[in-house]
Amino acid sequence: MKAYKYRSIEEDVFKRDFETISNNSFYSSNYSMLNDPFDIYFNEEISQVIKQLKILFPYKELENFEKQFQEVLNFKEEVGVYCLSTDFLNEQLWAYYASSYSGYCIEYDLDKLVDKGQNFDFQYQFQIDYKDNIPTLGIDDIINLQDGFIRKMFATKKSAWQHEKEIRLIFDKFGMKKIHRSAITGIYFGVKTPEKIKKDFYKLFENDDVKFYEVFPSNFELNFKLVNETKRKLKHNVNEFEFEIMKHRINVSHESYYVFYKGSKSESDIKDFIIAFREAFLIKENNSLYIFDNKEVESLIDIYSKNDEQYIKYADSIITVCDDWEEAGISNPYKDFHYNEIINRR
């Protein structure tokens, strides 16, 4: 999924932001820096319930719970918030946050932006709820922590802001956050963006896979066109091979690709493909590459405890499974003792 951040080119702001981007970073703000005075604004009924319970049940545990609850409320003073949009052709956002079409808009690969391998304190990703009633935290919201308590605190705004189509990332601490270089996939320039700004970005990303667009008015609406594209300087050309990515998984420490390979099955060609694919796509050192000779097994990838028929079909479709520490080559760990046991029972 793509997400977008609009930025201005006011001199001090642009200099600071450009340096941050150059350092593969972004800044997660404290809530007090947000431009909506009603942001992270809520009522809560839980304190009153605790007070009533303490009268009925004067136990030390309730005193501790009250203290812990207050610490949770105070947590908002520490959290970092990063606000994005799902819309790069938003007229109001170009006017408000991008120097009236003289600024720019960053396109992120959201999956890479929220990679906890880069920032272990990343906690939540929310699509903002837009409502005109002040959110109220109740006892039920403690049970449903993320979609109740946390969402009401950090992901509810007045409906006057719904045009922003906001996605919000929540971190334990405000401040600078790191991103993988490949997380930025595009830059959109406004119709009035100075050429110097464009050239600065072309230079910055000259060895990255980034597309550059210009946003302009057309037939009473915004449109865009590609104006430049930069590419990484790779040692190997994965485009020489015919393949299709069926699934990509990534978590804190590991990523996996499941690929339908359509080319030559010779061992030397498979080795060359693995080397080229690793260079082009893999971003984590700890990784696995599953290469299949047909696409019919795509539906089996997420099935665990496969039945006998599914296991045989899956194993027979594998060309190779290659982990990061292994030299590129042919290996099929699914044709194991269990596989042979099933074959012998037939």
Side-chain angles (χ1 to χ4, degrees):
M1 180 180 176
K2 304 294 187 183
Y4 304 90
K5 185 71 173 179
Y6 292 79
R7 302 306 298 157
S8 77
I9 57 166
E10 295 175 16
E11 185 174 355
D12 291 342
V13 173
F14 177 73
K15 182 179 179 180
R16 178 200 67 199
D17 288 351
F18 193 81
E19 182 178 353
T20 299
I21 296 168
S22 302
N23 291 328
N24 303 321
S25 302
F26 64 90
Y27 188 79
S28 176
S29 302
N30 176 270
Y31 87 99
S32 63
M33 299 174 65
L34 302 176
N35 61 351
D36 176 7
F38 300 107
D39 218 332
I40 311 184
Y41 190 91
F42 55 88
N43 291 327
E44 59 90 5
E45 301 172 340
I46 300 171
S47 295
Q48 189 60 38
V49 173
I50 295 173
K51 285 181 172 57
Q52 292 173 348
L53 287 173
K54 285 170 62 181
I55 294 172
L56 295 172
F57 309 101
Y59 300 131
K60 185 176 180 180
E61 287 78 8
L62 284 173
E63 292 280 357
N64 292 336
F65 179 66
E66 183 178 34
K67 181 180 178 181
Q68 290 170 354
F69 177 65
Q70 193 57 52
E71 289 175 355
V72 170
L73 293 182
N74 293 337
F75 175 60
K76 74 174 186 178
E77 305 292 338
E78 301 294 328
V79 300
V81 180
Y82 196 53
C83 304
L84 301 153
S85 176
T86 59
D87 185 5
F88 64 89
L89 294 176
N90 191 303
E91 295 176 34
Q92 293 99 325
L93 298 187
W94 275 105
Y96 297 161
Y97 303 122
S99 303
S100 298
Y101 297 87
S102 295
Y104 59 98
C105 176
I106 305 168
E107 177 186 85
Y108 290 108
D109 181 326
L110 191 57
D111 290 335
K112 293 179 180 178
L113 198 62
V114 300
D115 177 14
K116 287 177 74 74
Q118 298 288 330
N119 300 291
F120 276 92
D121 71 332
F122 168 72
Q123 293 298 339
Y124 303 104
Q125 172 186 322
F126 290 114
Q127 195 99 25
I128 291 292
D129 290 332
Y130 296 99
K131 298 178 180 178
D132 283 324
N133 297 322
I134 300 174
T136 300
L137 304 178
I139 291 294
D140 290 344
D141 294 316
I142 296 178
I143 299 170
N144 186 13
L145 188 61
Q146 178 169 335
D147 288 327
F149 196 93
I150 303 298
R151 177 177 285 278
K152 283 184 177 180
M153 283 183 73
F154 297 109
T156 306
K157 296 188 67 172
K158 295 181 73 171
S159 59
W161 296 86
Q162 63 187 351
H163 63 276
E164 294 194 344
K165 301 176 183 177
E166 184 178 337
I167 290 176
R168 179 164 289 184
L169 309 183
I170 306 296
F171 300 84
D172 283 341
K173 297 287 185 181
F174 64 87
M176 207 66 74
K177 308 299 173 185
K178 298 298 293 183
I179 59 172
H180 190 272
R181 187 77 179 177
S182 63
I184 294 179
T185 55
I187 302 289
Y188 293 78
F189 300 118
V191 67
K192 299 186 220 175
T193 305
E195 283 300 315
K196 183 183 183 310
I197 299 292
K198 296 178 183 179
K199 290 178 180 178
D200 285 343
F201 276 110
Y202 298 158
K203 178 67 175 174
L204 177 62
F205 291 108
E206 64 182 350
N207 194 31
D208 295 283
D209 294 326
V210 178
K211 293 183 178 180
F212 301 89
Y213 305 89
E214 181 182 288
V215 173
F216 59 92
S218 175
N219 295 323
F220 216 53
E221 62 182 12
L222 291 182
N223 205 338
F224 69 103
K225 63 182 179 182
L226 183 70
V227 293
N228 196 11
E229 184 174 0
T230 53
K231 290 285 188 181
R232 281 183 294 163
K233 296 174 177 63
L234 302 177
K235 296 178 181 178
H236 309 278
N237 183 11
V238 74
N239 294 319
E240 292 178 350
F241 303 90
E242 191 176 0
F243 66 95
E244 181 180 341
I245 295 173
M246 295 189 290
K247 187 173 288 291
H248 176 219
R249 289 200 187 103
I250 189 166
N251 59 34
V252 175
S253 60
H254 189 270
E255 72 174 322
S256 300
Y257 273 97
Y258 299 79
V259 178
F260 169 32
Y261 176 75
K262 308 174 187 179
S264 164
K265 305 300 190 298
S266 75
E267 185 168 1
S268 62
D269 286 339
I270 294 296
K271 286 182 177 180
D272 288 344
F273 171 68
I274 292 170
I275 292 169
F277 189 93
R278 280 173 167 170
E279 182 186 26
F281 290 99
L282 291 164
I283 65 171
K284 286 189 174 290
E285 293 182 1
N286 189 8
N287 58 70
S288 298
L289 178 57
Y290 296 75
I291 303 175
F292 300 86
D293 64 9
N294 71 77
K295 198 179 178 184
E296 295 176 6
V297 294
E298 185 172 6
S299 61
L300 300 178
I301 293 172
D302 289 328
I303 295 177
Y304 299 96
S305 299
K306 296 176 176 62
N307 63 36
D308 288 355
E309 182 182 348
Q310 291 170 335
Y311 194 91
I312 294 297
K313 182 177 181 180
Y314 194 77
D316 285 344
S317 300
I318 290 175
I319 298 174
T320 187
V321 178
C322 195
D323 292 317
D324 60 285
W325 62 84
E326 296 175 327
E327 183 180 351
I330 303 296
S331 174
N332 189 344
Y334 282 81
K335 288 192 174 179
D336 54 5
F337 175 81
H338 182 52
Y339 176 91
N340 292 326
E341 190 178 52
I342 297 171
I343 294 296
N344 291 335
R345 286 202 304 265
R346 288 182 168 182

